[in-house]
Structure formats: structure tokens, C-alpha cells
Amino acid sequence: LALYFHIGEREEKCIIEDIPSDILVVGNYKVQRWDIHKHDFLEAAPGLGMFVTVTSPSGEVLLSKLYGPQGTFSFTSYLSGEHIICFQSNSTRFAVIAGSKLRIHLDIRVGEHFLDESAIQAKDKVNEVNVRLEHLIEQIHHVTKEQDYEREREEKFRKTSEETNSNILWWAIVQTLILISVGIWQIKSLRDFFISKKLV
């Protein structure tokens, strides 16, 4: 996931990532500050810090740390589900400037261990193949976990659908019985009315 978004000074911005359990998540970000004179975002934002907070689906805080204007954070998911990743600057230096804002470039990688190409080139061919093979095995492990998580979600969805269908069926049966009972009661009431009026 690679994206960018704008936030104001001291404003908190959160994104939600649906992550399987026991997966390493690595995020890289860079902050740019709006320059009112150039009417553009500066390439760097020196002096700014960024609070990064990660909350698990159960509400447990997995990460809460202050980083610089650019940095890398990582955490491991212990539960599958929606993890909330929040960013907030620690600076009030530009808060007095009307319309001051920050742009955050964010790249989140889920379950990936990236190869260090320079390390691979320094090794002989056998080691290169070995390292690449280990990388592929890690990727297969990650894909398997993703598939298991999607299968688990699909099973929960199917179970919910079946329960809903069962409830609808029983509700339809109850409605039918009520309608039949009301119909029988109306027929009996009309018959008693006609007999009392000696119309039958």
C-alpha cells in the first residue's frame, strides 16, 4: 500500500489495514511541509516529529512511538482483523500560519521481507540462490497465511448468511401461521355475527 495524505498541525489521521495474524508489517513515511511563499510542499520538513500509533482489533496498542520527519516503523499482528495506524505531528511551530498543512507519503508492506541486493551481489552464486530461495519460502508462507485468513473470513460470512437465511425462514413461517390464525378468527367471527343476526 503506497499513498499520501494531508494533515494539519497536531491533527491526527488514521488508516485501517485488514491484516492476518502473526504477520510482520513494515511502514515507511516521509513528511513534507507546505510553504506559503512557494505555494508548494518542501522536500523535507526538518524539526518535525511524527507520533505513530498502531492499535489491534482488540484495542491493544501495539506501537506508540515518536519518530522524525521521515522514518520506518514495524509491528507484528497478533490477531487477524482491522488494525488502526494513526499519525500525528508533534510540532506547533507552524500552527499560527493560516492554512499550514503537512503531506505524508506512506508505504506499508505487509508480510514481506525485502532482499538486500547489495548483500546478494557480494556473495557467490550459491549463496545468492540460497538467499533468494529463503525469500521465496517466506513469500509462500505469507501467501498461505493470507489465504487462510481469507478462508476464515469467508467461512464466517457464510455462517452469518446461513443464520440470517434460517431466521428469515422461521419469520416467514411465523407470519404465515399468524395470518392463518387471523383468517380463521375472522371467518369464525363473521359466522357468529351472521348466526346472531339470523342471516344464515
Side-chain angles (χ1 to χ4, degrees):
L1 171 70
L3 54 89
Y4 75 85
F5 52 86
H6 296 146
I7 63 172
E9 292 288 334
R10 302 293 292 172
E11 178 187 354
E12 185 178 54
K13 192 87 163 187
C14 298
I15 62 169
I16 296 174
E17 274 290 301
D18 203 355
I19 304 170
S21 62
D22 196 27
I23 291 289
L24 175 67
V25 179
V26 179
N28 294 298
Y29 73 89
K30 181 177 80 171
V31 181
Q32 293 178 303
R33 180 176 59 84
W34 176 255
D35 189 305
I36 58 171
H37 303 296
K38 295 182 180 179
H39 297 286
D40 197 6
F41 286 96
L42 301 178
E43 272 308 302
L48 277 174
M50 191 62 58
F51 285 108
V52 180
T53 307
V54 179
T55 308
S56 73
S58 66
E60 178 188 357
V61 176
L62 301 178
L63 174 70
S64 181
K65 190 173 177 183
L66 175 63
Y67 295 87
Q70 66 180 53
T72 300
F73 61 91
S74 64
F75 65 93
T76 301
S77 61
Y78 297 104
L79 293 172
S80 9
E82 294 182 340
H83 289 68
I84 301 171
I85 305 170
C86 296
F87 298 86
Q88 183 179 29
S89 80
N90 71 333
S91 173
T92 57
R93 198 160 46 135
F94 310 107
V96 294
I97 301 173
S100 64
K101 57 184 173 180
L102 305 172
R103 175 184 284 174
I104 298 177
H105 295 266
L106 177 63
D107 183 18
I108 294 180
R109 294 172 181 148
V110 178
E112 295 189 18
H113 299 275
F114 295 95
L115 294 173
D116 184 352
E117 294 295 336
S118 60
I120 290 173
Q121 290 171 2
K123 297 180 179 179
D124 59 22
K125 290 292 179 184
V126 175
N127 284 343
E128 179 182 345
V129 170
N130 188 34
V131 170
R132 289 190 183 275
L133 186 60
E134 287 176 1
H135 177 71
L136 284 174
I137 290 170
E138 287 178 353
Q139 291 297 93
I140 290 168
H141 183 62
H142 170 63
V143 169
T144 304
K145 283 190 174 183
E146 285 278 356
Q147 288 176 334
D148 289 343
Y149 178 53
E150 291 302 325
R151 202 168 14 253
E152 179 187 320
R153 289 182 63 190
E154 192 272 336
E155 189 177 327
K156 284 181 183 175
F157 179 75
R158 186 173 57 244
K159 187 176 180 182
T160 303
S161 297
E162 287 171 358
E163 288 174 357
T164 303
N165 289 339
S166 174
N167 290 339
I168 289 172
L169 175 64
W170 281 111
W171 178 239
I173 290 171
V174 168
Q175 282 183 317
T176 305
L177 290 173
I178 291 171
L179 287 173
I180 291 171
S181 301
V182 169
I184 291 171
W185 177 79
Q186 285 180 330
I187 290 170
K188 185 178 181 307
S189 297
L190 282 172
R191 185 171 173 272
D192 292 344
F193 174 76
F194 289 142
I195 289 174
S196 67
K197 296 293 185 183
K198 298 183 180 178
L199 297 172
V200 176

